[in-house]
Amino acid sequence: DIQMTQSPSSLSASVGDRVTITCRASQSITGYLNWYQQKLGKAPKLVIYAASRLHSGVPSRFSGSGSGTDFTLTISSLQPEDFATYFCQQSYSTPYTFGQGTKLEIK
Amino acid sequence: EVQLVESGGGLVQPGRSLRLSCAASGFTFEDYAMHWVRQAPGKGLEWVSGISSNSGYIGYVDSVKGRFTISRDNAKRSLYLQMNSLRAEDMALYYCARGGIYRGYDSSHFDYWGQGALVTVSS
């Protein structure tokens, strides 16, 4: 199975900050990397798919990059509604696996 | 508007069975792969199973192979997960999720999710 490792596990930041979350795969997944946002008590929501494609309705302050084994999710200017947990997921091969999550908290 | 509504969750004893359902609306169900993803309390996300649009491809995570069966009824716009021989470690919130399409192909990202069905396994 492909292991997905996110860093950091938690992150404190302020409104307006630029933040970056990293996801590393245990083997190459080319560009089959997706990012989800989950707020407490809610279902996850897709943010980025295919490493860099913005899902419909997602603000343009979110962006994704990377290929092979190393990927990043960047939020250019944090807004209050962005504080949540973010998960990466590889869709290269089954079983599709997720990172352990990065909890983004208000400083 | 895409909507996915799970049902069938509940409290079940270890070794017993449960069947989850997911009712889809707001999109052409037969055109999309569908998946089940679970989340144990306070834990991360785990893909459980997926099924292609015509049921020609089915996949499972190893921990449920031989115990869980995914199926779909395109005429009823519904996805199912039959869970047998349930274990304590199967206790989780089970989400139904639609498989996204990229460049005309199922790319197995999960673009819409239901609110989840809670499965509690306890004696």
Side-chain angles (χ1 to χ4, degrees):
Chain A
D1 298 0
I2 298 174
Q3 308 264 18
M4 306 301 293
T5 303
Q6 288 180 234
S7 61
S9 295
S10 63
L11 175 59
S12 294
S14 301
V15 172
D17 284 354
R18 178 185 179 90
V19 298
T20 297
I21 299 169
T22 297
C23 181
R24 175 165 286 175
S26 60
Q27 66 183 73
S28 176
I29 56 171
T30 61
Y32 288 91
L33 190 283
N34 314 300
W35 291 97
Y36 302 87
Q37 176 195 70
Q38 186 177 34
K39 296 183 180 179
L40 198 63
K42 301 292 187 182
K45 291 184 176 180
L46 179 66
V47 178
I48 297 282
Y49 65 98
S52 61
R53 309 285 295 188
L54 203 62
H55 181 52
S56 175
V58 174
S60 59
R61 61 181 179 273
F62 289 88
S63 64
S65 65
S67 66
T69 61
D70 294 316
F71 301 85
T72 58
L73 172 70
T74 299
I75 309 172
S76 61
S77 177
L78 272 174
Q79 298 302 300
E81 60 268 29
D82 300 337
F83 291 94
T85 299
Y86 292 84
F87 294 92
C88 63
Q89 175 241 339
Q90 64 83 13
S91 50
Y92 181 78
S93 65
T94 58
Y96 304 123
T97 46
F98 292 84
Q100 81 279 14
T102 295
K103 187 173 184 180
L104 181 52
E105 299 174 303
I106 300 174
K107 185 183 286 184
Chain B
E1 178 192 7
V2 173
Q3 284 201 315
L4 299 168
V5 180
E6 301 92 340
S7 60
L11 173 63
V12 62
Q13 293 179 329
R16 304 299 291 264
S17 299
L18 209 57
R19 188 195 198 206
L20 302 182
S21 299
C22 171
S25 61
F27 65 101
T28 305
F29 183 73
E30 63 191 27
D31 287 347
Y32 290 85
M34 296 296 296
H35 301 266
W36 290 100
V37 178
R38 68 185 177 184
Q39 187 169 35
K43 301 296 185 182
L45 299 165
E46 180 180 41
W47 175 81
V48 174
S49 182
I51 185 168
S52 63
S53 57
N54 64 0
S55 303
Y57 173 78
I58 286 174
Y60 300 96
V61 68
D62 280 352
S63 61
V64 308
K65 280 180 184 174
R67 300 188 299 122
F68 289 14
T69 302
I70 192 172
S71 62
R72 63 189 295 161
D73 185 332
N74 286 345
K76 294 183 177 179
R77 304 170 61 83
S78 293
L79 175 72
Y80 306 101
L81 186 67
Q82 177 67 42
M83 303 184 292
N84 298 333
S85 303
L86 280 160
R87 304 168 180 168
E89 55 264 36
D90 296 320
M91 186 160 65
L93 189 60
Y94 283 73
Y95 293 105
C96 164
R98 191 179 83 168
I101 293 175
Y102 179 51
R103 292 180 174 171
Y105 294 95
D106 169 32
S107 76
S108 296
H109 58 271
F110 312 127
D111 59 359
Y112 291 95
W113 300 59
Q115 286 306 300
L118 183 62
V119 173
T120 303
V121 183
S122 176
S123 53

